[in-house]
Each structure stands twice: as C-alpha cells, then as structure tokens.
Amino acid sequence: MNGGALFVAVFLACAVEAVEATTIVLAAGTARSWRAALQGTGAGLVLLAILIAALGPALSYVPLRGLRVFVGGLLLILGLQWLRKAVLRASGLKSLKDENQIFRTEVAAARNATVERRGVVPDWYAFVLSFKGVVLEGLEVVFIVLTFGANQHDIPLAAVAAVSAVLVVAAVGFAVKAPLSRVPENALKFVVGVMLTSFGMFWGAEGAGASWPGNDASLLVIIPAVALYSFGLAGVLRRRSQRDEDEGVSGPAVDRDISASASAPAPAAGR
C-alpha cells in the first residue's frame, strides 16, 4: 500500500466516526452550552492524541509478522461488524441511520438535564456529553490510525489523514449547524467495511506466513471480490425479505434493535 492509498483508507474510515461524534457535539452545543461542548470536545481530542503518542512508538518494537497477524485479526473484526450492518441496511432488514433523529433525541435529552457548573466548565452535562461522544467514537479512529500506520510504518501520515477527516466533517457540521444527514453514511460504511475486511484478510494471511500472488497487487482482486460478495449477499437478503412479505411471513430479528412486529408492512428496523 502506497502513501496515497493509506491516506484515503484512513480518511474514509475516520470520516464515518467523525460524523457520529459531530452530531453529538452539535446537539450538546445547540441545546446547552457551546462553550462547554467545545471544552469537552477539546478534552476528548487531547486524550486521544495522548493515546496515539503513547501507543504508536510501542508498536514499532513488535515484530512485523506478529503485528500483521494481530492487526489483520482486529481489522477483520471491525470490518465485518461494519460490513454486516451495511449489508443489513442495504437489504432493508435494518433501517438506515437517521442522523436527524439522533440529533433530535440528543437535543431533547440535553434540554431536560439540569445545569451544573464545575470550575471553568459552565455546563457539566454538555461537557461530559461532548467528551464522551468524542472519546467513544475517537477510540475507533485511534485504532484505525495505529493499525494502518504501524503496519505501513507511517503512523504520522495515518494521523494526518485522521485529523483531516475530523476537521473536514467538523467544519461542514458547524458551518450548517445541523446533523450531517446528507452524508451517505451507509455507503461510506459499506466501502470502509469492504476495505477493512480486505486488508484484514491480506495482512492476517501475510502475518501467518502466506504469500499472496503479486504481493500488494493482490488487493486489486481481494477488495472487488469482497465487495461483490457483499453486494450479492445484500441482494439475496432483499429478495428473501420481499418473498417473506409476499407470503405473509414476518422478517427475521436480525438485531436486537429491530422490532419483531409481524403486522408491519415492511421489515421492522431500528437504529
């Protein structure tokens, strides 16, 4: 993987997480206090930067083969989780994420909370809400930066890509003061899920001692193959769902947040 491919892969993966974190910060600032929300955001970013600075150099001492097995396994776990949700949403078995609804829910909860000042923080609730959102979503960003960067021996470039993604998404979000509902997040998660799964397969097999034909060029086959399989699986699930509807059979409960109501005209879905 060259520098450009590393930058694009990290940028896209981190952009997905940045959309969710920005929605939470916007809700905290809109409903409560922009000063406290930005303080919480800053504190969360500082913590994430410390994690990258502390863990990044340590990974350079791990043998490359062992590192690739470890990184490949983690990328497969993360990539398959994202890909699973993207396939279910593409097939209609799980609803698309509605950032507008998430934004309204967060705003409603924030407005009902009491105002408490602590030190220089004018609104502790807004601070904690923003801090938690940035840290929880940011931990995946840290994971992506460290795994991709360590494997390619270029953590600084991966960190620059992550920061660029966060800044772009945050700038758009704060410019319009609204959730980024127009961002095709499911499409992004589909693409990123395919990429993470493909790189996980590639690096995990290399770490285990396998040799791919054409070395890095084999990714040009692995990535389209994973994508085609995922699209095909989504199509099969969509047709099966439609057939079950026609036969009056309720759709399967594919996730805990999907309602099992048999009376709904379409497969029930949750968040």
Side-chain angles (χ1 to χ4, degrees):
M1 182 193 294
N2 57 33
L6 173 64
F7 185 93
V8 171
V10 174
F11 184 93
L12 289 176
C14 294
V16 175
E17 302 301 329
V19 169
E20 300 181 8
T22 300
T23 299
I24 295 173
V25 174
L26 285 171
T30 300
R32 305 285 295 195
S33 166
W34 279 109
R35 180 183 173 186
L38 293 177
Q39 287 174 330
T41 301
L45 292 176
V46 168
L47 176 60
L48 296 174
I50 292 174
L51 287 176
I52 293 177
L55 298 178
L59 291 177
S60 63
Y61 295 100
V62 179
L64 183 59
R65 176 168 290 187
L67 179 64
R68 285 184 170 173
V69 171
F70 178 72
V71 168
L74 291 179
L75 287 182
L76 272 175
I77 293 172
L78 182 62
L80 288 173
Q81 285 179 342
W82 282 21
L83 201 53
R84 171 183 175 272
K85 292 180 180 179
V87 167
L88 291 176
R89 284 170 175 148
S91 65
L93 290 173
K94 186 177 180 69
S95 67
L96 297 176
K97 285 189 67 175
D98 187 349
E99 294 296 335
N100 282 316
Q101 181 58 44
I102 295 173
F103 180 76
R104 289 192 293 268
T105 301
E106 294 288 356
V107 168
R111 285 176 175 166
N112 291 330
T114 58
V115 177
E116 180 184 358
R117 183 183 182 92
R118 293 193 181 182
V120 297
V121 179
D123 190 330
W124 188 248
Y125 182 91
F127 177 90
V128 172
L129 180 62
S130 298
F131 178 82
K132 184 173 65 174
V134 169
V135 171
L136 290 180
E137 302 298 340
L139 284 175
E140 290 198 34
V141 172
V142 171
F143 165 76
I144 292 167
V145 169
L146 292 178
T147 52
F148 273 81
N151 188 74
Q152 297 302 120
H153 299 290
D154 201 346
I155 289 179
L157 179 59
V160 168
V163 171
S164 299
V166 171
L167 290 177
V168 168
V169 173
V172 173
F174 282 95
V176 299
K177 292 291 194 301
L180 305 177
S181 56
R182 293 187 179 182
V183 176
E185 186 179 349
N186 192 62
L188 278 176
K189 281 199 171 181
F190 211 116
V191 171
V192 174
V194 167
M195 293 176 63
L196 294 183
T197 301
S198 300
F199 284 121
M201 294 168 57
F202 179 80
W203 288 337
E206 273 198 337
S211 178
W212 291 96
N215 296 321
D216 288 357
S218 61
L219 284 168
L220 299 177
V221 176
I222 298 173
I223 293 175
V226 174
L228 287 174
Y229 177 81
S230 302
F231 279 118
L233 182 59
V236 169
L237 291 175
R238 186 185 302 111
R239 287 193 295 271
R240 179 178 297 177
S241 175
Q242 292 173 347
R243 184 190 61 194
D244 289 343
E245 286 185 44
D246 294 339
E247 295 175 355
V249 179
S250 61
V254 297
D255 210 338
R256 287 185 299 175
D257 59 345
I258 297 180
S259 172
S261 174
S263 61
R271 177 172 180 261

